[in-house]
Amino acid sequence: MTDVRNPSPLLEIRGVSKYFGSVISLNDISTSVRAGEVTCVLGDNGAGKSTLIKTLAGVHEPDQGQLLLDGEPIRLRGPRDALDRGIATVYQDLAMIPLMSVWRNFFLGAEPTRGWGPFRRFDVGLARRTVRRELAAMGIDIRDPDQPVGTLSGGERQSVAIARAVHRGARVLILDEPTSALGVRQAAMVLRYIVEARDRGLGVVFITHNPHHAYPVGDRFLLLKRGRSLGDFAKNEIELADLTRLMAGGEELAELSHELARDDSASPGSVSAG
């Protein structure tokens, strides 16, 4: 496959901070997203991942710092502005209606029409054909696009949401914890589609708390803890073991291991007769 990676950042985050009253949700966060690459944002609950997502999606404006698209500073005035600029966000709830068909959800809010004026109507035939084509192009095998989306597995729903964002012209695809509630096989399915989106030239932002999901697909890793950056690394600058240690908190784990070892040595069963 042709190498679509671009040395120039598609999206840059420079020194972004966000405050809610006295609460520092993000503090001086910087990273970059390149076309044809995956930038993984890792952090535990409360790390600032959700605030960063909403800042990139146009929900929040940064109090300090800049967002740059194609090297030009931008100010996102809302989610629609972000979408118009090619920044699409797939949230955990996927913005899908379970009882509607796959193809109906695929075009939710952007329905193709035929006719004009009072005779304009939803072009169902075009919608069905387009869904089949776009899912096939992403390597997604859905048994029947007419089936309710609620009958799909979690991984299948995520894959449809990714294909939908790609079809709508996303250049930057932000994925909010897409593997968090999935089993091993379903998570592997989603990771495969993340790679497919990357290989189609998108800049992907993969939000996750799982370094074992992030490392195989990631090209860059931003680690957050309580709104602050623990580091922004290219893949050749960090190993999975180090990523896991930073993510989990090396000092906390070492202290816990020490306490557990002390408790084991103090237990009655561990004392041998003299």
Side-chain angles (χ1 to χ4, degrees):
M1 182 173 293
T2 302
D3 189 354
V4 294
R5 303 187 184 197
N6 190 332
S8 301
L10 176 59
L11 176 66
E12 290 183 81
I13 304 163
R14 290 186 183 175
V16 164
S17 297
K18 182 64 185 177
Y19 312 111
F20 296 97
S22 61
V23 176
I24 303 173
S25 191
L26 294 175
N27 184 43
D28 194 24
I29 302 301
S30 298
T31 192
S32 60
V33 183
R34 289 172 168 79
E37 292 190 0
V38 179
T39 295
C40 298
V41 180
L42 296 104
D44 214 336
N45 292 337
K49 302 191 304 295
S50 294
T51 302
L52 182 61
I53 291 170
K54 291 179 179 178
T55 301
L56 298 179
V59 177
H60 298 320
E61 285 194 43
D63 293 311
Q64 294 177 355
Q66 282 185 317
L67 301 179
L68 294 90
L69 188 64
D70 296 320
E72 296 294 328
I74 59 170
R75 181 183 178 188
L76 299 176
R77 301 181 182 277
R80 174 55 60 183
D81 189 18
L83 282 170
D84 290 343
R85 295 175 184 267
I87 303 172
T89 303
V90 177
Y91 292 101
Q92 290 187 54
D93 62 13
L94 302 179
M96 290 188 178
I97 300 175
L99 295 180
M100 282 188 175
S101 65
V102 172
W103 60 265
R104 187 68 179 83
N105 272 280
F106 194 89
F107 285 102
L108 195 63
E111 292 81 358
T113 59
R114 59 187 302 183
W116 56 276
F119 303 105
R120 183 174 297 165
R121 60 192 183 280
F122 191 175
D123 193 338
V124 174
L126 176 60
R128 284 192 172 115
R129 293 192 301 272
T130 301
V131 167
R132 289 183 182 277
R133 183 182 69 244
E134 292 298 316
L135 294 183
M138 288 285 291
I140 300 168
D141 182 20
I142 298 297
R143 295 177 296 278
D144 180 9
D146 285 306
Q147 70 187 101
V149 80
T151 64
L152 302 179
S153 68
E156 288 172 330
R157 288 195 296 272
Q158 285 283 351
S159 66
V160 170
I162 292 171
R164 179 175 64 183
V166 172
H167 172 70
R168 294 186 182 183
R171 301 175 63 210
V172 177
L173 178 62
I174 304 168
L175 302 173
D176 176 20
E177 297 274 9
T179 61
S180 63
L182 303 181
V184 174
R185 180 175 297 180
Q186 295 295 318
M189 173 192 298
V190 172
L191 294 177
R192 186 166 65 248
Y193 297 133
I194 290 174
V195 171
E196 180 66 28
R198 178 200 71 189
D199 289 346
R200 291 184 64 163
L202 277 71
V204 181
V205 181
F206 177 21
I207 312 291
T208 182
H209 64 271
N210 191 328
H212 295 281
H213 290 172
Y215 199 78
V217 301
D219 298 287
R220 176 162 291 278
F221 305 92
L222 170 66
L223 283 85
L224 299 179
K225 183 176 182 179
R226 297 178 183 174
R228 291 170 168 80
S229 173
L230 296 179
D232 180 39
F233 307 95
K235 192 163 192 171
N236 60 6
E237 296 173 335
I238 191 167
E239 299 291 335
L240 175 58
D242 296 323
L243 191 67
T244 303
R245 178 180 56 80
L246 286 170
M247 172 72 187
E251 294 181 1
E252 289 88 342
L253 285 178
E255 183 178 345
L256 177 61
S257 297
H258 179 72
E259 290 180 2
L260 291 175
R262 184 176 59 200
D263 291 344
D264 287 344
S265 64
S267 62
S270 64
V271 178
S272 58

